[in-house]
């Protein structure tokens, strides 16, 4: 582990729903990464430049279209990895315990919500647990989330949502995948700090992606 894990807590603020101070949080995160994670900082730069210049309504719309309403992906790591499988339940129970012992407030979100996990990392005293979270939960989930912003994946999701909701909410502008840059920057941080494998091992596909692929095949 090369760096102080406080950088993960700093970056976590960019995965919260944007408020009026979102621009200041972007600047803080960009400066932090430039000081400690130059490769991640370069990946974050396009996100920082565009989102800093966008107004709050655009920031909020892009966030919602990425992670909430007809979402590209979800920020709930356990769901990304396991869907509704019992393994997610086990993960939630274990993370609940760690959040409670570390006095890490999860607010209204579940214990596997990405920003909650990022804020937990620097509060954990067990180095082995930090390694496990980074290599076995965060990294593989991030790879799937990043892949979800690829054009063919976005097209599949749009077909799924069109069938489910009979309409597609228009994606905002040419930067509708801008949050992919934020996810890539976080993944680069993990690669710098932990022994992260590049290729994802074969695992159960999450229900989120499975439903999308199934619906697309039925449509075909």
């Amino acid at each position: 582990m090369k760096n102080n894990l406080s950088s993960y807590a700093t970056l976590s603020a960019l995965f919260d729903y944007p408020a009026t101070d979102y621009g200041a949080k972007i600047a803080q995160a960009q400066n932090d990464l430039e000081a400690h994670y130059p490769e991640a900082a370069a990946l974050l730069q396009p996100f920082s430049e565009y989102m800093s210049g966008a107004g709050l309504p655009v920031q909020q719309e892009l966030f919602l279209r990425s992670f909430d309403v007809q979402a590209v992906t979800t920020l709930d790591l356990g769901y990304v990895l396991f869907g509704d499988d019992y393994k997610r339940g086990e993960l939630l129970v274990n993370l609940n315990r760690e959040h409670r012992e570390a006095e890490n407030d999860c607010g209204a979100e579940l214990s596997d919500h990405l920003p909650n996990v990022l804020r937990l990392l620097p509060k954990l005293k067990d180095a082995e647990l930090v390694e496990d979270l980074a290599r076995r939960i965060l990294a593989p989930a991030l790879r799937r989330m990043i892949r979800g912003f690829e054009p063919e994946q976005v097209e599949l999701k749009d077909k799924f949502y069109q069938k489910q909701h009979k309409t597609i909410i228009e994606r905002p502008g040419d930067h509708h995948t801008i949050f992919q840059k934020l996810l890539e920057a976080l993944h680069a941080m993990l690669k710098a700090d932990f022994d992260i494998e590049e290729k994802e091992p074969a695992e159960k596909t999450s229900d989120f992606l499975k439903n999308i692929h199934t619906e697309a095949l039925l449509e075909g």
Side-chain angles (χ1 to χ4, degrees):
M1 192 183 306
K2 297 179 180 179
N3 292 298
N4 189 320
L5 296 179
S6 63
S7 296
Y8 292 93
T10 301
L11 196 69
S12 73
L14 305 190
F15 290 101
D16 291 328
Y17 184 65
T20 54
D21 60 347
Y22 198 68
K25 292 178 178 178
I26 291 172
Q28 182 182 4
Q30 185 69 47
N31 291 336
D32 186 283
L33 265 60
E34 287 175 357
H36 302 290
Y37 299 89
E39 181 181 346
L43 291 168
L44 184 64
Q45 189 68 44
F47 176 90
S48 297
E49 290 178 355
Y50 178 76
M51 293 294 277
S52 294
L56 182 61
V58 174
Q59 294 170 347
Q60 291 175 336
E61 183 180 4
L62 284 166
F63 183 92
L64 290 173
R65 293 292 287 111
S66 296
F67 304 121
D68 193 353
V69 180
Q70 293 186 5
V72 175
T73 187
T74 174
L75 290 173
D76 294 333
L77 301 174
Y79 193 74
V80 171
L81 291 175
F82 308 120
D84 291 323
D85 190 84
Y86 75 92
K87 291 181 181 179
R88 189 197 179 195
E90 292 180 349
L91 177 64
L92 289 172
V93 169
N94 291 331
L95 282 174
N96 278 331
R97 181 183 64 250
E98 299 300 333
H99 286 298
R100 184 171 58 253
E101 292 180 357
E103 298 183 350
N104 190 51
D105 185 8
C106 289
E109 301 292 348
L110 294 175
S111 60
D112 65 345
H113 196 60
L114 176 59
N116 285 335
V117 175
L118 294 179
R119 286 188 275 265
L120 175 65
L121 284 181
K123 296 182 178 182
L124 291 173
K125 297 178 180 179
D126 186 339
E128 185 175 351
L129 176 57
V130 172
E131 290 273 348
D132 281 347
L133 272 176
R135 292 192 292 106
R136 300 176 63 183
I137 302 299
L138 278 165
L142 283 170
R143 283 192 289 267
R144 294 187 182 191
M145 294 163 75
I146 290 166
R147 194 163 62 241
F149 283 87
E150 296 301 317
E152 64 275 11
Q153 294 293 323
V154 172
E155 183 179 354
L156 281 171
K157 293 181 182 75
D158 282 349
K159 288 181 179 179
F160 172 74
Y161 290 131
Q162 189 166 24
K163 182 173 178 62
Q164 291 293 312
H165 306 291
K166 311 304 179 186
T167 186
I168 291 293
I169 299 174
E170 185 178 354
R171 299 188 184 278
D174 296 329
H175 293 82
H176 63 272
T177 61
I178 195 67
F179 273 93
Q180 185 183 45
K181 299 299 182 183
L182 178 57
L183 293 166
E184 289 173 345
L186 175 55
H187 190 260
M189 291 170 66
L190 292 172
K191 286 174 61 178
D193 280 337
F194 303 97
D195 183 20
I196 301 297
E197 295 181 1
E198 275 299 315
K199 293 184 178 180
E200 180 182 357
E203 295 181 28
K204 177 183 181 295
T205 302
S206 73
D207 286 356
F208 185 76
L209 292 178
K210 184 192 295 181
N211 286 341
I212 289 166
H213 283 285
T214 300
E215 291 290 345
L217 287 171
L218 290 174
E219 283 294 308

